[in-house]
Amino acid sequence: MYRDPMLIKRIDITRLDDCLALAVSRDWTPDRRVWTLMFEIGAVFGIDDPGGGLAGCVVSTRYGTRLSAIGMMLVAEGFGRQGLGTRLMEHAIADGGTESTWLTATRFGKPLYEKLGFRSVGECTRYAGDLRLPPSGGSRPVSIEDVPAMVRLDAAVFGAPREHVLRAVLSAADQVRVIEGTDGVRGYGAAWRNVDNTAIGPLVATDERTARDLIADLAAGSDQPIRFHLADTHPELREWLESHGAEREFDTTAMVYGASLPGDRERLFLPLTLATG
Ligand SMILES: CC(C)(COP(=O)(O)OP(=O)(O)OC[C@H]1O[C@@H](n2cnc3c(N)ncnc32)[C@H](O)[C@@H]1OP(=O)(O)O)[C@@H](O)C(=O)NCCC(=O)NCCS
């Protein structure tokens, strides 16, 4: 039977090294921990390169029926401009099948996404640097008793169920800290050690003060440069972080397909990754 070598199929963690090789070929950092998480919480789709490895891949992470996120969109240079990227995106949108689909686009992907019907909803900047922040002392490591309150706060802010993702974060992140107020958990944040930096996210908080304190305390525990993605919704937080050593690396555009984003996005301070929201 003839098999189309350019078929899109769901791939599993046994193809992790092929994903990393494809990422490196497009000058992306081969972040093994992030990709491992993608296989755990999302659906990873790939197109085989008949010569070995992957010609393209994309990841769809679904949050119930309300929202899905698409990320890790990569096509090998030798297979560019043949429609693979468009097909992978269409496949990921259909696989999610949710009311809204969210992604953040580099300037390379944006025209393709616009053609497919995505619209821009804001800008996001990746920052990195040695943050010179005194610890706030207001947070503490998360405990098992905090989880229900953390999940409730997250659901109100994110607007779609992502308990499965939070549980993966709780077991895989190096640090998860919470700040408690008189009426329960006011915010939580996670930090992840990568090869040459510590990434902070997700970070959800009821107000900017709480977000600042969480960032300061998560950064204080690291001997590496800190990295995070910040939306343009909190200009004062940006200014404060820039004045304490955070440097702009690159911008992406947040885009939505279908219904407007659910939840209370003003309180979603930092995403888990650009691929997941
Ligand atoms: C961005 C990226 C995913 C696009 O993948 P791709 O497979 O080249 O995408 P497509 O082929 O579907 O579309 C790209 C262009 O080729 C054109 N095209 C598609 N099929 C074609 C064909 N058979 N002949 C000629 N052109 C074609 C499309 O119309 C589109 O044109 P445009 O750039 O003028 O809008 C790829 O370049 C990539 O991986 N870049 C590096 C990583 C990256 O930036 N990823 C996106 C993160 S948001």
Side-chain angles (χ1 to χ4, degrees):
M1 189 178 73
Y2 171 76
R3 282 186 193 279
D4 180 358
M6 294 279 105
L7 204 67
I8 298 173
K9 60 181 181 188
R10 186 154 178 188
I11 56 174
D12 64 21
I13 190 106
T14 59
R15 305 296 302 273
L16 176 63
D17 284 338
D18 290 333
C19 293
L20 294 173
L22 180 56
V24 170
S25 82
R26 302 303 321 232
D27 298 324
W28 284 17
T29 313
D31 214 330
R32 187 171 280 274
R33 287 189 81 175
V34 172
W35 280 95
T36 303
L37 185 71
M38 294 295 101
F39 280 104
E40 197 181 332
I41 65 174
V44 185
F45 298 102
I47 297 176
D48 283 328
D49 175 346
L54 286 168
C57 70
V58 71
V59 181
S60 164
T61 308
R62 198 187 298 157
Y63 305 101
T65 57
R66 185 68 192 84
L67 180 68
S68 55
I70 295 179
M72 303 307 207
M73 171 77 217
L74 286 159
V75 172
E77 203 149 16
F79 289 93
R81 302 191 64 84
Q82 296 174 29
L84 265 59
T86 303
R87 279 180 52 216
L88 282 163
M89 277 302 299
E90 287 170 343
H91 192 88
I93 296 168
D95 174 79
T98 46
E99 289 168 43
S100 310
T101 305
W102 174 95
L103 56 76
T104 54
T106 63
R107 65 191 166 85
F108 306 107
K110 197 174 166 205
L112 192 158
Y113 307 144
E114 278 170 344
K115 266 191 216 165
L116 288 171
F118 280 85
R119 55 190 191 278
S120 304
V121 292
E123 293 297 311
C124 190
T125 304
R126 183 165 116 172
Y127 282 94
D130 293 311
L131 290 189
R132 297 177 298 273
L133 292 168
S136 83
S139 71
R140 59 169 171 76
V142 69
S143 76
I144 192 85
E145 288 79 35
D146 296 318
V147 176
M150 197 177 137
V151 168
R152 267 198 308 279
L153 172 66
D154 190 80
V157 172
F158 197 69
R162 64 167 178 172
E163 186 169 348
H164 58 305
V165 174
L166 292 188
R167 293 207 176 267
V169 168
L170 284 164
S171 66
D174 294 289
Q175 282 196 76
V176 180
R177 302 187 72 87
V178 294
I179 292 185
E180 225 178 342
T182 46
D183 46 356
V185 170
R186 300 181 58 80
Y188 77 85
W192 308 70
R193 255 185 109 77
N194 298 311
V195 184
D196 56 2
N197 64 65
T198 292
I200 299 185
L203 194 144
V204 167
T206 52
D207 58 284
E208 192 170 315
R209 177 77 253 167
T210 304
R212 285 185 188 199
D213 289 350
L214 281 165
I215 293 171
D217 292 353
L218 288 163
S222 176
D223 54 355
Q224 294 178 311
I226 301 298
R227 191 188 80 188
F228 52 89
H229 297 272
L230 194 61
D232 57 6
T233 36
H234 292 280
E236 285 171 10
L237 179 62
R238 267 184 188 234
E239 254 174 55
W240 180 74
L241 286 162
E242 284 174 7
S243 70
H244 287 88
E247 287 172 25
R248 275 171 175 260
E249 288 202 326
F250 61 85
D251 294 330
T252 56
T253 305
M255 303 183 90
V256 174
Y257 175 94
S260 305
L261 290 175
D264 179 2
R265 301 265 144 180
E266 292 270 305
R267 298 189 291 162
L268 183 63
F269 284 88
L270 305 177
L272 166 55
T273 70
L274 277 191
T276 53

